[in-house]
Amino acid sequence: FADVTTSEIRSFDSVYGDNATLFLYITILVAMVAMAAFAIVKAGRYGVVNLYTMLSYFIVTALCFAFITEGVFEVSLGTAFIFLAGLVLTNVLNAHVYSAIKAEFNLGKTVESSVKGGYKKTLLGIVDIYAVLLLGGIALLIGGAGLHTFAAQALICIVTGAYINLLWARVINYIFLS
């Protein structure tokens, strides 16, 4: 590296040019529409609940990205990946909760009792998943040289996902399923 001069260093435009960010946004939108359509077809009324939780995750995460990481926010492939990973995790955990609620309802319990029972059965597993992810995000923030923005965005996605799964989705379930 000592023999390299500035005249020998080259930079190139990205393959997709100025439209790379637009393609990332389109990818996220297509993934969200596909997850929402699958949830609505597969679960009916609970799919609408899942749609609301997805939109809540999208809005809260976007606002946190915009205001918490202000000045260091970069839209990159890593940003799209961590956002989509958080969105998929939120949907998978919502499906897990829904199956527990449905199992409780099939036992002959009321809707309110089924929602309480479903969340009670799945609470420890969800908290465990988010605790491990939170510790991993903190470790990445502390030890990841050059990955500060990615680690901050990962922590935002983890905290937002935990809030959506543990609190907000429960409120929406009570409202829509009752």
Side-chain angles (χ1 to χ4, degrees):
F1 292 111
D3 297 336
V4 177
T5 62
T6 56
S7 64
E8 296 173 348
I9 298 174
R10 304 281 187 250
S11 66
F12 300 96
D13 292 332
S14 65
V15 176
Y16 294 108
D18 296 331
N19 295 328
T21 306
L22 177 66
F23 289 140
L24 285 174
Y25 289 148
I26 291 171
T27 302
I28 290 171
L29 181 66
V30 167
M32 287 182 67
V33 167
M35 283 188 264
F38 179 74
I40 289 172
V41 168
K42 178 87 172 147
R45 206 165 52 169
Y46 186 77
V48 176
V49 171
N50 198 32
L51 177 65
Y52 275 103
T53 58
M54 281 178 40
L55 291 175
S56 300
Y57 175 82
F58 176 74
I59 291 168
V60 172
T61 305
L63 288 173
C64 288
F65 277 3
F67 294 112
I68 292 177
T69 59
E70 186 177 348
V72 296
F73 179 67
E74 302 166 357
V75 176
S76 65
L77 189 58
T79 304
F81 171 75
I82 198 68
F83 177 81
L84 287 175
L87 187 62
V88 168
L89 178 66
T90 303
N91 283 327
V92 167
L93 293 176
N94 275 338
H96 180 63
V97 170
Y98 173 67
S99 65
I101 291 171
K102 190 174 179 181
E104 292 286 316
F105 187 73
N106 288 338
L107 294 174
K109 296 183 179 180
T110 64
V111 174
E112 184 177 334
S113 175
S114 298
V115 171
K116 280 184 183 179
Y119 271 95
K120 190 174 184 180
K121 285 184 177 180
T122 59
L123 179 67
L124 290 178
I126 293 173
V127 168
D128 186 41
I129 289 170
Y130 280 114
V132 169
L133 289 174
L134 187 64
L135 291 174
I138 291 171
L140 184 63
L141 187 64
I142 293 170
L147 297 174
H148 183 265
T149 302
F150 180 74
Q153 291 169 348
L155 285 172
I156 288 170
C157 289
I158 292 165
V159 170
T160 304
Y163 167 74
I164 295 296
N165 276 129
L166 296 172
L167 298 173
W168 186 240
R170 188 173 188 164
V171 170
I172 294 173
N173 276 318
Y174 279 123
I175 292 170
F176 276 96
L177 296 180
S178 294

